[in-house]
């Protein structure tokens, strides 16, 4: 069987490594990012791939620099047939891509050439895509431009977060990696159409700031897509307010039914009157009652189901409203 050097870092790469081990491939080395301090207290954290590799007795390499003669010499010394790269987290020099007879195979979490770059899953959701998938690719010196080997498509659920979607894609990726390696010598290579390419850059903290003038559907997509980082957040009385679950609804879609209390219906009518009286500023709280929190956007209304005030726990809308008084007419942002 093919001797493999595996290169990956996050949890999304673990299913692929696990599949290789399970199918009996000799994994002669595992490369992953160096241990780094993170979280409260800056404790040293190891990557999920490292944890998995150590648990299975695989040799682990964590070079601080890879563009050095020493790093290349060590890499070549593994004498593998092919490198398999799944979200390693660094752009590999061409010398690494050509170090082994069959080069380097990448598992990329999009349907290339769409969403080349560091965060394809996040940006697919943020941009309102309804389908995505996984591509195996013969790597070349450019960013995600190599020849396509296999692809597998899947639908994106309307309520699916990027964390949930990545979990599904990681399993799909392991499946098509297995098929790719089995058929590697016979698979046709298909060049990418650069004119159809789009870019998925690494996300910045500023990407998460909610612009309430956007459509409610666009904000809901950002809530789903910007998880776990940078999240979708706004200003609330001088503190950061993160929204974790939300959806677009019609402004006065009455989901209370016949069991609504007098107070609930009064609050709903108050919101209706507020909106109808004059154009409502984007970010205005329209309804804040029981488990019903609605915010005016540039188009339609966002119903918030889960949120988190800075320094506090994530809460359902009901629990949040029970502990925090929100006034109808108050403006976020």
């Amino acid at each position: 069987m093919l001797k493999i050097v595996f290169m990956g870092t996050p949890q999304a790469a673990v299913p692929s490594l696990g599949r290789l081990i399970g199918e009996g491939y000799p994994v002669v080395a595992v490369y992953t990012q160096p241990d780094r301090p993170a979280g409260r207290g800056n404790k040293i954290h190891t990557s999920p791939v490292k944890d998995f590799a150590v648990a299975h007795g695989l040799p682990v390499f964590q070079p601080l620099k890879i563009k050095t003669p020493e790093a290349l010499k060590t890499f070549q010394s593994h004498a593998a047939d092919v490198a398999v790269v799944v979200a390693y987290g660094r752009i590999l020099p061409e010398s690494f891509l050509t170090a082994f007879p069959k080069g380097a195979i990448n598992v990329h979490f999009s349907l290339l050439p769409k969403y080349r770059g560091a965060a394809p899953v996040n940006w697919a959701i943020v941009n309102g895509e309804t389908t995505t998938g996984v591509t195996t690719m013969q790597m070349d010196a450019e960013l995600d431009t190599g020849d396509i080997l296999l692809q597998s498509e899947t639908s994106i659920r309307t309520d699916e977060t990027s964390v949930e979607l990545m979990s599904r894609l990681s399993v799909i990726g392991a499946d098509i990696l297995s098929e790719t390696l089995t058929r590697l010598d016979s698979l046709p290579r298909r060049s990418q159409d650069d004119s159809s390419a789009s870019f998925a850059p690494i996300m910045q903290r500023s990407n998460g700031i909610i612009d309430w003038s956007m459509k409610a559907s666009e904000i809901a997509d950002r809530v789903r897509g910007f998880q776990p980082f940078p999240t979708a957040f706004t200003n609330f009385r001088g503190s950061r307010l993160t929204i974790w679950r939300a959806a677009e609804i019609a402004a006065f879609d009455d989901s209370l039914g016949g069991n609504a209390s007098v107070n609930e219906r009064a609050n709903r009518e108050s919101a209706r009157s507020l909106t109808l009286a004059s154009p409502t500023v984007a970010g205005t709280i329209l309804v804040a009652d029981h488990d019903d929190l609605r915010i005016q956007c540039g188009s339609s209304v966002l119903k918030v189901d889960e949120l988190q005030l800075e320094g506090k726990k994530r809460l359902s809308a009901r629990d949040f409203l029970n502990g925090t008084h929100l006034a109808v007419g108050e403006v976020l942002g």
Side-chain angles (χ1 to χ4, degrees), residues 245-300:
R245 285 195 302 120
E248 179 187 33
I249 61 168
F252 298 107
D253 175 23
D254 192 345
S255 58
L256 295 176
N259 296 323
S261 68
V262 172
N263 285 339
E264 287 172 327
R265 292 197 178 281
N267 285 332
R268 192 64 56 82
E269 286 304 316
S270 174
R272 184 190 296 271
S273 299
L274 174 70
T275 301
L276 295 179
S278 61
T280 306
V281 174
T284 299
I285 297 171
L286 298 178
V287 178
D289 185 67
H290 287 70
D291 63 350
D292 196 2
L293 175 56
R294 305 186 185 202
I295 302 169
Q296 179 68 53
C297 302
S299 171
S300 190

Side-chain angles (χ1 to χ4, degrees), residues 294-326:
R294 305 186 185 202
I295 302 169
Q296 179 68 53
C297 302
S299 171
S300 190
V301 172
L302 191 75
K303 185 176 187 297
V304 177
D305 296 312
E306 187 176 359
L307 62 169
Q308 181 179 17
L309 193 58
E310 186 175 359
K312 304 293 184 180
K313 295 180 179 179
R314 285 172 62 165
L315 296 172
S316 66
R318 177 181 291 275
D319 289 340
F320 184 86
L321 292 174
N322 283 341
T324 305
H325 176 69
L326 292 182

Side-chain angles (χ1 to χ4, degrees), residues 143-164:
L143 179 64
D144 299 330
T145 58
D147 288 348
I148 293 169
L149 299 171
L150 286 177
Q151 291 186 312
S152 180
E153 182 175 313
T154 186
S155 297
I156 302 175
R157 298 194 300 266
T158 56
D159 63 344
E160 195 165 29
T161 68
S162 54
V163 174
E164 294 164 340

Side-chain angles (χ1 to χ4, degrees), residues 174-203:
D175 289 341
I176 71 165
L177 172 62
S178 173
E179 184 179 355
T180 297
L181 293 177
T182 299
R183 300 170 51 198
L184 188 56
D185 291 334
S186 61
L187 277 176
R189 271 64 171 166
R190 177 163 56 91
S191 61
Q192 296 188 40
D193 178 7
D194 290 341
S195 66
S196 300
S198 57
F199 187 50
I202 191 169
M203 293 167 294

Side-chain angles (χ1 to χ4, degrees), residues 55-182:
H56 288 81
L58 301 175
V60 175
F61 295 82
Q62 299 176 275
L64 292 174
K65 297 180 179 180
I66 57 174
K67 295 181 179 180
T68 67
E70 295 77 18
L72 177 60
K73 184 177 180 180
T74 300
F75 191 72
Q76 292 171 328
S77 72
H78 303 307
D81 295 303
V82 66
V84 170
V85 184
V86 188
Y88 176 53
R90 287 183 180 176
I91 297 176
L92 298 175
E94 189 171 8
S95 57
F96 271 58
L97 303 180
T98 58
F100 306 134
K102 297 185 184 298
I105 305 300
N106 178 228
V107 177
H108 184 79
F109 298 111
S110 81
L111 296 175
L112 290 171
K114 294 192 74 173
Y115 298 108
R116 295 171 176 172
V121 176
N122 304 85
W123 287 109
I125 292 178
V126 168
N127 291 336
E129 302 287 356
T130 58
T131 60
T132 187
V134 183
T135 301
T136 53
M137 171 189 66
Q138 187 79 50
M139 297 179 73
D140 63 16
E142 302 300 321
L143 179 64
D144 299 330
T145 58
D147 288 348
I148 293 169
L149 299 171
L150 286 177
Q151 291 186 312
S152 180
E153 182 175 313
T154 186
S155 297
I156 302 175
R157 298 194 300 266
T158 56
D159 63 344
E160 195 165 29
T161 68
S162 54
V163 174
E164 294 164 340
L165 178 57
M166 178 62 86
S167 180
R168 286 203 300 116
L169 292 178
S170 68
V171 176
I172 296 171
D175 289 341
I176 71 165
L177 172 62
S178 173
E179 184 179 355
T180 297
L181 293 177
T182 299

Side-chain angles (χ1 to χ4, degrees), residues 3-6 26-30 58-59 61 78-80:
K3 290 172 60 180
I4 293 172
V5 168
F6 185 87
V27 179
V28 296
V30 173
L58 301 175
F61 295 82
H78 303 307

